[in-house]
Amino acid sequence: MRINSFVCGPLTVEINEGKIISVIEGYVKKGKSKQEVIDYADAVVMPGLVDVHVHLDEPGRTQWEGFYTGTRAAAAGGVTTVVDMPLNNHPTTVSMETLKLKLEAAENKIYVDVGFWGGLIPENALNTSILEGLLNAGVLGLKSFMCPSGINDFPMTTLHHIKEGLSVLARYRRPLLVHAEKQHHSKNHLDHNDKGDHRAYLTYLNTRPPSWEEAAIKELIGVTQHTRIGGSLEGAHVHIAHLSDSSASLDLIKEAKSHGDSVSVETCPHYLAFSSEGIPNGDTRFKCSPPIRDAYNKKKLWEAVLEGHIDLLSSDHSPTVPGLKLLEEGDFLKAWGGISSLQFDLPVTWSSGKKYGLTLEQLSLLWSKKPATFAGLEAKGAIAVGNHADIVVWHPEQEFDLNDDYPVFLKHPGLSAYMGKRLSGEVLDTFVRGNLVFKKGKHAPAACGIPILAK
Ligand SMILES: NC(=O)N[C@H]1NC(=O)NC1=O
Ligand SMILES: [Zn+2]
Ligand SMILES: [Zn+2]
């Protein structure tokens, strides 16, 4: 099969047996006989997105999302690989046995390729053989929380657990992703028992100040110094999930990187597209942790992205059921924290980013090459000879309204914070390993995604 496209000049990508076999500047008019040629004219052909932070919640909470709905939404949004988080599913993915349950649940249901993070919790951190079993079974790395996760069977880890986990991960050369917020009480800090207006977003924002992120990251940086070349944790890598604070927390990460620590950081579209000032009273679709901060913070976060201080983007797609989002009560303190977004990674990032000067090359690095490399997926994330033919074809300038008529494939479309927005950048077609999994608004009849296991 050949794909022709005209972006920065004509381009032809040749695909055979799921892999890219040539990338040629210019249109190749004559191919082998019987070879299928798709001409995309002036649409953009880019590597499919690799979303390394997605909660698919199956098994156990399929009513929240699920492999079928989540990966169909991913395919419709040009996301060709997702890496599933070890929590919100039940049981959580914290052992070889629970990973097996994930794999069984995913069978014949996934429309894009799916990798898995395992969970680092106190129990397995203190039992190396459980962790080794989980890593040997193929999780791409581990994830832990420095504050309560909101899920009973996923307890938070202390720095001691994190160090234990890193010493195992160092041998496997796989990363630890950390939810870096550390609860502490300060003078202005209102906690959940205080009587602020629960429908006001500011009440919630004040319960999770930037100093929570700063405190957690400061502790982590004390550990990442040992990941430097020659250090006691050489080979280990710490990745800070969903950074929201673009001030002191970011400065700490920059400093650690300047010393050669093996550390990276992601942020998410909701921190780049929204600001606290614009969140309506009672609209709990916008509740997440760490919280969406003010417009100045957002601007600084975009600057950090464009200057390369933020390594990659991910969705932290974390949906739930309408009942737990408490939309009617609009109670920001009691509602589930998590933003539903997976299908909109590409248009949301583009619509917001182009106002700040984001280029297509940067977009592609942040959403494909960098996350693929981070997760150890060498054959993904770039249109290059030998790579998987994971491709999104899209029209960056095509605008659309996310209204009730728009085909949203997520389990609960109405819960997404992006509904009602006008976005720029419509996906035409999505290929996963050469299979056309989404074409002009329709999915392929069969789910041809495969699970990705580390060797
Ligand atoms: N458990 C879970 O998905 N938590 C996520 N939700 C959110 O808003 N931040 C998270 O870490
Ligand atoms: Zn998190
Ligand atoms: Zn998450």
Side-chain angles (χ1 to χ4, degrees):
M1 184 202 300
R2 280 182 294 135
I3 295 176
N4 287 336
S5 158
F6 192 97
V7 187
C8 316
L11 180 82
T12 300
V13 181
E14 204 174 357
I15 298 169
N16 190 30
E17 294 185 355
K19 290 198 171 153
I20 295 166
I21 56 166
S22 75
V23 182
I24 302 160
E25 278 181 33
Y27 283 142
V28 179
K29 294 230 170 72
K30 276 197 187 143
K32 298 179 197 101
S33 59
K34 290 194 200 149
Q35 191 181 33
E36 187 187 351
V37 179
I38 309 179
D39 194 339
Y40 282 113
D42 60 354
V44 169
V45 172
M46 265 185 8
L49 280 70
V50 177
D51 191 336
V52 295
H53 191 150
V54 176
H55 297 263
L56 290 176
D57 307 340
E58 190 171 356
R61 288 198 184 84
T62 313
Q63 68 279 25
W64 289 24
E65 187 60 271
F67 284 114
Y68 180 79
T69 49
T71 60
R72 277 166 71 90
V79 177
T80 50
T81 304
V82 302
V83 189
D84 178 50
M85 277 292 161
L87 73 160
N88 304 356
N89 43 287
H90 185 82
T92 50
T93 318
V94 292
S95 63
M96 183 174 70
E97 293 79 12
T98 45
L99 176 65
K100 194 160 166 261
L101 297 178
K102 272 264 171 208
L103 293 168
E104 283 166 10
E107 223 165 288
N108 300 323
K109 285 191 207 140
I110 50 179
Y111 278 74
V112 301
D113 290 351
V114 180
F116 304 88
W117 301 119
L120 177 73
I121 57 170
E123 189 189 333
N124 62 16
L126 302 176
N127 187 332
T128 310
S129 65
I130 303 181
L131 267 195
E132 286 170 346
L134 181 57
L135 289 159
N136 291 339
V139 294
L140 303 179
L142 301 174
K143 160 83 186 281
S144 88
F145 271 70
M146 292 177 80
C147 62
S149 74
I151 294 287
N152 289 340
D153 62 338
F154 204 90
M156 61 184 271
T157 44
T158 63
L159 217 52
H160 174 65
H161 303 126
I162 287 175
K163 283 184 201 153
E164 291 293 318
L166 285 173
S167 65
V168 176
L169 284 163
R171 286 191 267 120
Y172 287 81
R173 305 219 159 228
R174 296 183 206 165
L176 175 69
L177 296 84
V178 185
H179 180 124
E181 279 186 296
K182 199 166 150 61
Q183 196 164 9
H184 66 89
H185 294 274
S186 66
K187 267 198 221 119
N188 330 329
H189 163 247
L190 290 169
D191 70 25
H192 289 210
N193 303 321
D194 284 322
K195 295 268 185 303
D197 176 2
H198 288 204
R199 289 181 54 83
Y201 180 72
L202 209 59
T203 305
Y204 170 64
L205 182 59
N206 286 334
T207 66
R208 293 182 100 105
S211 55
W212 280 31
E213 289 185 79
E214 188 189 343
I217 291 166
K218 198 173 263 168
E219 276 197 359
L220 280 175
I221 298 309
V223 178
T224 59
Q225 56 174 315
H226 303 294
T227 63
R228 293 175 203 163
I229 294 170
S232 57
L233 288 172
E234 185 181 341
H237 180 82
V238 172
H239 179 76
I240 291 151
H242 50 46
L243 182 80
S244 165
D245 171 33
S246 57
S247 56
S249 304
L250 186 64
D251 291 339
L252 286 168
I253 298 166
K254 281 194 219 167
E255 201 191 324
K257 285 182 175 180
S258 76
H259 291 133
D261 296 14
S262 189
V263 60
S264 55
V265 58
E266 72 188 24
T267 191
C268 310
H270 40 274
Y271 301 121
L272 296 167
F274 301 131
S275 51
S276 52
E277 296 91 334
I279 299 180
N281 263 1
D283 199 344
T284 54
R285 295 176 306 157
F286 293 88
K287 180 179 175 182
C288 60
S289 68
I292 293 163
R293 306 193 191 280
D294 65 15
Y296 179 74
N297 184 76
K298 173 174 98 167
K299 178 172 163 280
K300 301 299 279 180
L301 208 51
W302 261 120
E303 281 171 19
V305 168
L306 297 177
E307 287 167 9
H309 299 304
I310 295 199
D311 300 273
L312 56 99
L313 300 178
S314 75
S315 65
D316 193 10
H317 173 66
S318 178
T320 185
V321 283
L324 290 179
K325 218 42 187 160
L326 301 180
L327 281 178
E328 275 176 28
E329 297 92 316
D331 187 326
F332 273 112
L333 298 190
K334 296 205 183 103
W336 170 257
I339 295 215
S340 169
S341 57
L342 178 55
Q343 190 175 332
F344 314 123
D345 289 349
L346 178 59
V348 168
T349 309
W350 179 241
S351 304
S352 176
K354 63 182 185 170
K355 296 179 213 146
Y356 293 85
L358 178 75
T359 64
L360 289 176
E361 287 75 12
Q362 286 170 317
L363 178 73
S364 180
L365 274 178
L366 287 159
W367 266 116
S368 301
K369 183 67 190 162
K370 298 278 204 76
T373 306
F374 162 67
L377 309 175
E378 280 150 22
K380 296 192 177 289
I383 296 181
V385 173
N387 272 12
H388 292 172
D390 293 346
I391 289 170
V392 53
V393 185
W394 65 299
H395 274 306
E397 301 316 321
Q398 181 68 51
E399 296 197 346
F400 59 97
D401 291 303
L402 270 183
N403 55 29
D404 292 343
D405 299 328
Y406 193 85
V408 180
F409 299 95
L410 297 163
K411 182 89 173 183
H412 301 287
L415 291 188
S416 175
Y418 297 106
M419 294 312 287
K421 305 284 175 213
R422 187 173 183 80
L423 297 176
S424 189
E426 197 151 40
V427 171
L428 286 180
D429 290 358
T430 306
F431 296 82
V432 175
R433 284 172 289 95
N435 300 298
L436 200 42
V437 294
F438 184 77
K439 182 177 169 57
K440 294 195 180 76
K442 294 227 159 28
H443 289 88
C448 57
I450 54 172
I452 305 167
L453 296 173
K455 291 196 184 78

